[in-house]
Amino acid sequence: MPAAVAQEEPVEPQSVNTLCLKSLKRTYDMFVGNYGLKMPEDLASQKLKIEAKIFSEYSEVKDLPPPVSGPGTALANPAEKGAVPLYVHPTQQLGIPDGTHKLEGRQVAANHPYPNAPGVQLTASTAVNTTLSESTVERALATLAPSKASIEGGKVSQGLAEYKQAAGLAERYKPVQNAAQSLIKKAKAVKPQWHPPWKLMRVISGHQGWVRSVSVDVTNQWFCTGSADRTIKIWDLATGTLKLTLTGHINAIRGLAVDPRHPYLFSCGEDKMVKCWDLEYNKQIRHYHGHLSGVYSISLHPTLDVLVTGGRDSVARVWDMRTKAQIHCLSGHNNTVCDVKAQGSDPQIVTASMDTTVRLWDLAAGKTMATLTNHKKSVRSIFLHPSEHTFVSASADNMKVWKFPEGEFVRNVSGHNDIINAVTINQDNVLVSGGDKGQLYFWDWKTGYNFASDQSIPQPGSLDSESGIFAMTFDQTGSRLISCEADKTIKVWREDDKATPETHPIQWKPSNDVKRW
């Protein structure tokens, strides 16, 4: 017969609060025996800590010179008797007898003969011996090398330097320069170039959602914008009239790029799609599939048939324009890739991310060449200078200028205290930054001088908060600035023709606190 199955006792249901209190009581009972006691010290880690402190404090003076045999006298080889002294103390050069006076650890002759009156020749009959006063000793000390106790940390006394130079060790025992002085480079004050202020020229309405991207044709006859209303609109640059509307995306369009070498337009959006449009037939001809989330930025290589996209999947993908194949998946960022730029020389790809870093990539190897970690906030926009081998990155903490190819930090551009969504530069060295609050700041590129600023006014019917600027670009001549904004409009800015250096003078003072990071 089968064994009787034991009946399980019913478990009384208890509330979460009761279970938590029981768990706390068990924990208290477990550790009540050693409550309040200090943690036992780890001798190995304590020893390692002391060794690290000793090395940090005394590494510069770890190797001391050998002791000398007399007060200021050193032999070429102390083991050899009769060796010629390499350095003779000034007291012995003056023929001062051995009787000395001690002050502050240094020895000065105390009983030396001197004439009994001015102008009297020193002879055995006119010589007078007396103990030197304290003031006389101090004057004598001024002619001697300073004592070791008075030497500042990291510096070598003149006497020791002469001794080391005589021993052939002058290069090894050079006075150590202060580390801060060796790292800080004094920035030469350069006066900024005068630029006329910019003013609003035209407001273009037509989109039904936030305008998120813009690109200008290489012929400078038209430009295109992408919006959250899922459409791409092409506008006449001279008149601002609508020429064409392209539909096909199913979510907001975040990036546009007009191909300067082919009749193609490339677009990317939050629908994970990267599309290629043929502008001769005004229809979509290719789709680049591979992103796992929204695609936020796109850039075309200036010489190769290659495009680069970056998005919320934290990678930048390199695509073959014609075959639609993915060439590289540039992984390394830990958060959304907000902006990508491509150029013809190494590093050929630059990416900015919300993980606060900027990465420079080797296109051939598909690997990171450098990672720039100076920013403290998300880097939302980067732009390459049209003529210099430099670029600027924009974040909420600062705008920073970098130098290719190593990504060497050049300077900060400070003053735009906002979340900066877009930056752009023209051929006249005018840097423009636009932020979430609708403020446009105009800077001189060479000096970072803010020569003008303007506040974008939302169109009637919009909220005051809908004044953010999402994208900007100059036209091919650099004389028109196109901004895409949260009030569903596109604004065109130009220089003030009536402005002169007399009506708008440069009010600039060189800054003394230039940060080097």
Side-chain angles (χ1 to χ4, degrees), residues 234-451:
I234 297 178
W235 312 84
D236 186 89
L237 184 58
T239 62
T241 57
L242 180 64
K243 300 180 70 173
L244 182 67
T245 300
L246 300 175
T247 58
H249 282 277
I250 59 175
N251 212 327
I253 298 167
R254 299 294 295 267
L256 289 173
V258 179
D259 195 335
R261 299 180 299 118
H262 306 95
Y264 295 153
L265 168 65
F266 295 88
S267 63
C268 62
E270 295 177 2
D271 51 6
K272 313 179 191 177
M273 295 183 181
V274 181
K275 295 178 180 290
C276 175
W277 306 80
D278 190 330
L279 296 178
E280 292 180 345
Y281 297 94
N282 298 330
K283 66 178 183 180
Q284 174 190 337
I285 58 173
R286 297 187 187 96
H287 174 218
Y288 304 88
H289 178 73
H291 275 284
L292 306 178
S293 190
V295 190
Y296 283 3
S297 56
I298 187 169
S299 181
L300 301 178
H301 197 280
T303 57
L304 304 176
D305 289 341
V306 162
L307 66 144
V308 188
T309 56
R312 284 189 60 193
D313 51 4
S314 306
V315 298
R317 299 180 188 270
V318 184
W319 309 90
D320 186 299
M321 188 182 297
R322 298 189 178 279
T323 65
K324 302 181 291 185
Q326 178 180 297
I327 302 172
H328 290 302
C329 179
L330 307 178
S331 59
H333 285 293
N334 299 322
N335 209 328
T336 302
V337 178
C338 296
D339 202 0
V340 297
K341 289 290 184 288
Q343 62 176 356
S345 58
D346 285 331
Q348 299 187 53
I349 299 175
V350 186
T351 58
S353 171
M354 283 191 177
D355 62 4
T356 74
T357 65
V358 177
R359 285 179 179 261
L360 313 181
W361 301 87
D362 183 354
L363 178 59
K367 296 182 179 179
T368 304
M369 293 179 62
T371 304
L372 313 179
T373 60
N374 297 42
H375 282 288
K376 300 178 180 63
K377 300 289 183 67
S378 301
V379 187
R380 294 180 177 237
S381 180
I382 53 177
F383 199 86
L384 311 184
H385 194 279
S387 56
E388 294 181 4
H389 205 42
T390 55
F391 74 100
V392 62
S393 59
S395 175
D397 57 355
N398 239 333
M399 288 189 292
K400 297 182 184 292
V401 180
W402 312 86
K403 184 179 180 180
F404 289 122
E406 291 87 3
E408 177 186 355
F409 173 76
V410 179
R411 61 183 174 275
N412 282 326
V413 181
S414 304
H416 194 166
N417 301 319
D418 195 4
I419 298 176
I420 303 175
N421 293 318
V423 288
T424 184
I425 313 166
N426 69 357
Q427 297 88 335
D428 296 330
N429 285 328
V430 175
L431 169 66
V432 188
S433 58
D436 259 2
K437 297 178 182 178
Q439 289 182 328
L440 278 174
Y441 278 74
F442 298 87
W443 315 81
D444 177 59
W445 170 257
K446 296 289 185 182
T447 60
Y449 166 63
N450 176 217
F451 66 87

